[in-house]
Amino acid sequence: MPGWTIGLIWAGIIALLFFLVIVPVFVIPLILYNILLVRSSKKKWTRKCSDTKDQEQIEMFAQGQKWLGNYSSRKESVHIVSEGFNLYGEYFDFGFDKAAIIIAGRSEGCTYSCYFSDPYRAAGYNVLVIDNRSHGLSDGKFNNVGFKEWPDIINWAKFLHQEKACKSIVCHGICIGSAAALYAFTSADCPEYMNALVADGMFSRFRDIFENHLKKRHHAKFPTSNIVMLLISIASGRNAFKDGPVNYIGKMKKPVLFIYSREDKFSPPDMGQKMYDLCQAPKKLVWFEHGVHSHVRINAPEKYDQTIISFLKENVDE
């Protein structure tokens, strides 16, 4: 067989291996990053239910819709501009001089956040549910896992204080929402009237929770996690390999209520205990026996709500 023919065969084999092995190694993480953290159009991450196959998610969203409807006479559509982004939300004025900002996790709009609002109404707080940057009606293309969204929380708090005469503001964050809130609280720009954080399923680093997702789905961490963290780092300007709430929780000075489920595979019990132990502020850790990540309240609504009401009474409203 001529030498040039053998060369062509080997070139073909190498090309085939490249497309079968090398290309997927890099393409799959790129696709995953775009699915999870890039809003490709306004049809993605809307105010509608984010998962129409998960029965608990469907029920949580339905209850959020019902709560919104029950208090529609108290509702005002609101808007701010934060770092050039138009951000939108719904403000429920119950006649109090305190307010809670509900900050949802990835892919959720403000209607879903209404599901978490009732314990705050019951505790004497007005409620602001928001479309996070790149969600709902708000501007934005990227979810930067809290690294770039935290100034929005401060600007919403300023809006409540300056425009709605709210003297005290607390934040309720779910997953990435709790990370964004923590970055806001530990910023030098945090106003003193931001008084407490309720953190539902706060992770240590996004890298940790992402790799727990990969593990559950039996995907290899390397190089998928590395490439996705690199892309987050480029988009956010922060080191996603090392940076996260675990680096900031020790700087927190305002009271924190940590809520975790023992069934959470993404922010598991050891992660929750670590975050609690590192916190030097007034704090409380409450374990729930059931509930996957972000689905704690649906499995124990009375305990969940009473936990928040008691925490506020003991640490903020005393």
Side-chain angles (χ1 to χ4, degrees):
M1 184 179 293
W4 62 268
T5 305
I6 296 174
L8 282 176
I9 292 173
W10 275 110
I13 292 172
I14 292 170
L16 182 62
L17 287 173
F18 179 80
F19 282 103
L20 291 179
V21 179
I22 304 300
V23 170
V25 163
F26 292 96
V27 170
I28 290 174
L30 285 169
I31 293 172
L32 196 57
Y33 173 75
N34 277 274
I35 291 173
L36 295 177
L37 297 171
V38 180
R39 191 185 200 188
S40 52
S41 77
K42 283 283 189 177
K43 294 180 180 180
K44 187 175 182 180
W45 303 339
T46 66
R47 289 184 173 183
K48 296 180 180 179
C49 182
S50 64
D51 190 344
T52 55
K53 296 180 180 179
D54 186 304
Q55 290 304 311
E56 285 190 346
Q57 192 75 16
I58 293 169
E59 180 59 26
M60 291 164 68
F61 184 82
Q63 289 187 30
Q65 275 188 313
K66 183 178 179 180
W67 191 92
L68 187 155
N70 287 343
Y71 298 107
S72 59
S73 62
R74 303 279 189 170
K75 180 176 72 70
E76 175 192 355
S77 295
V78 290
H79 160 260
I80 64 169
V81 177
S82 178
E83 299 194 321
F85 291 88
N86 288 292
L87 305 179
Y88 297 88
E90 304 288 355
Y91 179 60
F92 296 84
D93 190 340
F94 297 107
F96 305 120
D97 63 356
K98 301 174 292 185
I101 306 174
I102 313 296
I103 311 158
R106 186 188 63 83
S107 79
E108 305 295 353
C110 69
T111 303
Y112 165 83
S113 293
C114 289
Y115 173 72
F116 297 91
S117 298
D118 206 54
Y120 296 97
R121 179 200 61 80
Y125 285 74
N126 303 326
V127 174
L128 172 65
V129 293
I130 60 175
D131 287 334
N132 292 323
R133 191 184 298 196
S134 76
H135 291 71
L137 303 181
S138 294
D139 292 345
K141 181 177 181 180
F142 298 98
N143 184 321
N144 288 291
V145 301
F147 286 146
K148 279 197 166 184
E149 292 85 354
W150 64 265
D152 304 341
I153 309 306
I154 290 178
N155 287 325
W156 277 119
K158 289 180 178 178
F159 166 81
L160 291 173
H161 183 69
Q162 297 168 5
E163 303 295 328
K164 301 301 178 182
C166 294
K167 298 178 182 178
S168 177
I169 295 163
V170 301
C171 293
H172 181 112
I174 303 101
C175 189
I176 289 175
S178 66
L182 178 63
Y183 300 148
F185 271 102
T186 55
S187 164
D189 298 326
C190 182
E192 63 180 45
Y193 48 80
M194 286 179 63
N195 284 322
L197 169 61
V198 176
D200 182 337
M202 180 188 285
F203 50 80
S204 51
R205 296 184 179 91
F206 184 76
R207 180 180 186 177
D208 299 330
I209 194 173
F210 179 72
E211 290 181 352
N212 285 340
H213 275 272
L214 293 176
K215 180 179 179 181
K216 183 181 179 183
R217 289 164 174 76
H218 305 291
H219 295 316
K221 294 179 184 179
F222 180 83
T224 300
S225 175
N226 300 71
I227 294 172
V228 171
M229 292 311 116
L230 176 61
L231 293 170
I232 294 173
S233 299
I234 293 170
S236 68
R238 298 277 284 275
N239 186 345
F241 292 90
K242 297 180 179 180
D243 208 353
V246 69
N247 303 98
Y248 294 85
I249 193 63
K251 303 175 184 178
M252 183 68 170
K253 292 180 171 58
K254 300 297 179 70
V256 184
L257 170 61
F258 294 89
I259 293 175
Y260 287 100
S261 167
R262 297 191 187 278
E263 293 182 340
D264 193 336
K265 303 298 184 184
F266 302 143
S267 293
D270 60 337
M271 184 184 292
Q273 189 65 53
K274 177 180 180 180
M275 296 299 291
Y276 174 78
D277 291 343
L278 288 171
C279 182
Q280 302 301 309
K283 58 187 178 180
K284 185 175 184 179
L285 170 61
V286 178
W287 293 103
F288 288 76
E289 295 303 318
H290 302 293
V292 298
H293 187 66
S294 301
H295 286 204
V296 180
R297 184 174 185 258
I298 192 69
N299 285 277
E302 292 183 7
K303 178 182 176 181
Y304 191 98
D305 291 3
Q306 191 55 52
T307 293
I308 292 171
I309 293 169
S310 298
F311 171 78
L312 295 175
K313 183 177 180 180
E314 295 166 6
N315 293 276
V316 185
D317 304 327
E318 55 187 359

